[in-house]
Amino acid sequence: MLLMRELWMIMGILAVAVVCSPVEGKIYTNCEVVKELQRANINRSFFANWICLMRSESGMNSTLMTGPKTASSFSFGILQINSLKWCTRGRKGGKCNKRCEDFLNDEIQDDITCGIKIFNQDGFKAWGGWSKKCKNNQNNLPNIANCKRRRRMADPIEVQQIP
Ligand SMILES: *[C@@H]1O[C@H](CO)[C@@H](O)[C@H](O)[C@H]1NC(C)=O
Ligand SMILES: *[C@@H]1O[C@H](CO)[C@@H](O)[C@H](O)[C@H]1NC(C)=O
């Protein structure tokens, strides 16, 4: 049954293609974010607050865009950085001198760089989600003790959505 075998092979290749194709809207895990926060040299004692804030603002969805909000502004990415002050839609601008849309890809290091600027100016209270869900709410702070401090061979399991 040569034909049958070839059919199975084609189906196998198709299955691999579907599983490996880029997914819309990466949902970060706590440990993946920990790795990015380490890369950004953020003080580890604040990691749980950064993660709680991302969870409350975007559900850890790196491609989330919401709005319109105050003065027709929009919020972008895992940190929901707002176009009113910190970035400009369609071109580089704002206090972070960034194009807002650049905060919508799966790469969050640039988001974190701008987030540090926001934090340095206004603190965590700049994020309404943090004030509501994380501030004075120890129960909502994730336990990151199991996230490895150093890069390891295999990445933690990723939770991804297949469209
Ligand atoms: C990290 O933050 C804690 C708490 O504010 C502080 O005690 C510690 O000195 C900081 N560590 C570094 C390396 O900045
Ligand atoms: C993440 O956000 C994008 C853009 O809003 C959306 O299309 C996608 O469905 C979201 N993913 C999840 C898992 O909610």
Side-chain angles (χ1 to χ4, degrees):
M1 289 294 280
L2 193 62
L3 191 66
M4 200 63 183
R5 211 160 69 196
E6 283 167 350
L7 200 66
W8 276 113
M9 234 164 79
I10 289 167
M11 279 170 65
I13 289 166
L14 280 177
V16 167
V18 166
V19 168
C20 295
S21 67
V23 287
E24 198 54 52
K26 179 174 162 66
I27 307 298
Y28 269 78
T29 64
N30 291 351
C31 290
E32 286 174 325
V33 168
V34 161
K35 220 191 304 185
E36 297 292 328
L37 294 173
Q38 280 172 334
R39 244 179 91 195
N41 282 321
I42 286 178
N43 187 330
R44 192 176 178 92
S45 50
F46 299 129
F47 280 11
N49 274 284
W50 280 100
I51 292 169
C52 182
L53 123 65
M54 288 177 186
R55 218 166 259 295
S56 65
E57 288 284 340
S58 66
M60 307 279 259
N61 184 344
S62 67
T63 61
L64 183 69
M65 182 179 113
T66 61
K69 309 192 165 178
T70 311
S72 306
S73 66
F74 284 79
S75 296
F76 295 81
I78 198 162
L79 284 169
Q80 288 291 284
I81 294 170
N82 192 263
S83 63
L84 200 56
K85 207 159 146 189
W86 300 102
C87 59
T88 302
R89 291 169 71 194
R91 63 180 167 81
K92 276 190 170 187
K95 287 194 172 182
C96 289
N97 193 28
K98 288 283 292 182
R99 201 175 73 99
C100 296
E101 289 79 3
D102 290 346
F103 293 134
L104 293 180
N105 58 16
D106 285 352
E107 231 293 313
I108 61 167
Q109 198 57 216
D110 53 342
D111 306 57
I112 292 172
T113 302
C114 184
I116 290 170
K117 219 169 241 179
I118 298 171
F119 175 80
N120 285 342
Q121 183 180 306
D122 298 332
F124 283 127
K125 68 180 189 321
W127 288 273
W130 179 84
S131 298
K132 219 183 292 171
K133 301 232 174 92
C134 312
K135 185 189 176 189
N136 305 325
N137 202 341
Q138 203 68 28
N139 289 341
N140 276 347
L141 299 186
N143 181 358
I144 52 156
N146 290 329
C147 301
K148 293 279 192 276
R149 275 164 191 271
R150 293 202 197 97
R151 198 169 276 279
R152 55 183 196 179
M153 298 300 282
D155 281 335
I157 296 156
E158 287 181 7
V159 180
Q160 291 183 331
Q161 286 244 327
I162 310 283

